[in-house]
Amino acid sequence: MKLLDVINPATEELITQLPIDDGAAVAIKAQKARNAQAFRALVQAQLDDLAKIMTQETGKPLGHSRNELNGFLGRVDFFLSEAEGILKIETVFNQDGMCEQIQHIPLGLIGNISAWNYPWFVGGNVFVPGLLMGNAILYKPSEFAAMSGLAMGRLLHEAGIPADVFATLIGAADTGNALLAQQLDGMFFTGSLATGQHIANVMGPRMTKLQLELGGKDPTYVCADADPIAAAQSLADGAMYNAGQSCCSVERIYVHASIHDQFVQALVDTVRTFKMGDPMAADTYLGPLTRAPQIKVLEDQIADAKAKGARCLLGGQRSKGPMGGKGHWFEATVFDNVNHSMALMRDESFGPIIGIQKVSDDAEAVRLMNDTPYGLTAGVYTPNEQHARDVLSQVRAGTVYWNCCDRVSPRLPWSGYGHSGVGLTLSREGLATFTRPKAWHLRSN
Ligand code: NAD
């Protein structure tokens, strides 16, 4: 390998020698970047078909599937713009013949076991930066999003990623366990707490890089000075979008007693406008639940809440749905008069259901927001930014929102406290996490 001498022009001292990118190395780097661009172009060109595949297998309304794919393209753009910067060797100290550098090298072979609720988002958060950082990937999509997983592999291969560098594995828990049994250099998981705990048990003794993106029970506090109508409209969407099957769905609302009634009425009025329908229809907002067993989870939470005094304001049961009695449909459901003795306010619901609890001040709201083993996101609605900052700085959550909710940005790290997981994706750190930092101490005299 040829080396480039880096010479201090003031002293003619040799500072360091860097490996030179010859024609072949430049071509490889260019090809990698080109592959990623080509992949992006293929996803964009086939977006409608990919959205239909996702809608068919998950029941996600077609408009929501399109939104996800468009959002995915934005994430690809972000990763492409930042990847080269992460891979550059960084000199952090250079004095008196001593040079210190940080180099990010690929982990190697990484496994990704993924969830079904946002297959392109959660899969792409791993395979796009993972590939750009130079890793090979074994990707197991959820068994409820397997066709989307195969489409990701097909388009990556069409774009020029070698078949051996990215492979899709089809199956459920057994296939996931078979993947865990391999010699991996990193395991990245997105899914439920129970499966995450199982994976942590298996991987723990092996001292392999492990990231777990798990569930949430995300709270929002609507302050006394908030606009109750605007907050209700925003939060109705945050709770019901994708039938509530988002890791960062709003799952608990605390509202100041002084605006409780107005807020609750506006929330119910908004949720009533959400049209349940054929997921393929353009005007459908509420699709079916992707997994049938979730109906029982919701029914149990509702029975428990009612037995303990909760008031059902809308919905509250499974629905025949719009497909001739077939499918796993559940009514959009709103409860108030709830409290933390109820599973509805403690356990992840992952469905179109929301509980609203009255609070008398900030201290009570903060205490209740933190009364959870999870900590993915939390929000506050108030016109006063400083008030929101004061409250949110007391809440244990990886992501906090002022006057918004259920939002993910590629530029910001996505991580959780406690049972919401370990590690992070997205942001510049979400590229570096697919590498091992190597520390270079170079003495040239
Ligand atoms: P899940 O845990 O049931 O399944 C996730 C993946 O694990 C699937 O691919 C599944 O086949 C596999 N799996 C299941 N059992 C396994 C086992 N014993 N061994 C190995 N692999 C196994 O979760 P899900 O229903 O697909 O996803 C919903 C959950 O994911 C919710 O809790 C949601 O909050 C969470 N989620 C979190 C994020 C986040 O970014 N934090 C994003 C999306 C979803």
Side-chain angles (χ1 to χ4, degrees), residues 113-118 122 125 140-144 171-177 180 189-196 198-199 212-216 246-248 291 348 350 376 414 420 425:
I113 298 180
S114 199
W116 48 265
N117 59 333
Y118 285 91
V122 294
N125 287 354
K140 194 198 89 57
S142 164
E143 59 275 32
F144 301 101
D174 286 351
T175 310
N177 278 311
L180 293 176
F189 171 75
T190 307
S192 63
L193 172 66
T195 310
H198 163 69
I199 290 177
L212 305 166
E213 296 206 345
L214 310 175
S246 307
C247 51
C248 53
R291 294 171 55 258
E348 193 177 44
F350 229 57
L376 195 57
W414 188 248
S420 290
T425 51

Side-chain angles (χ1 to χ4, degrees), residues 88-109:
K88 255 188 212 137
I89 295 176
E90 186 190 357
T91 301
V92 289
F93 179 84
N94 196 0
Q95 219 174 294
D96 304 328
M98 191 69 208
C99 177
E100 297 174 359
Q101 295 183 325
I102 304 170
Q103 181 185 22
H104 286 98
I105 57 176
L107 293 172
L109 173 61

Side-chain angles (χ1 to χ4, degrees), residues 1 6 34 49 52 56 65 84 89 138 142 149 183 188 202 223 227 239 256 277 303 346 385 418 423 435:
M1 184 197 303
V6 181
R34 175 80 52 216
D49 289 341
K52 279 183 196 145
Q56 271 171 3
S65 294
E84 210 180 311
I89 295 176
L138 293 172
S142 164
Q183 187 85 47
F188 294 79
V202 173
C223 302
D227 174 347
H256 194 274
R346 285 198 320 267
E385 178 177 351
T435 66

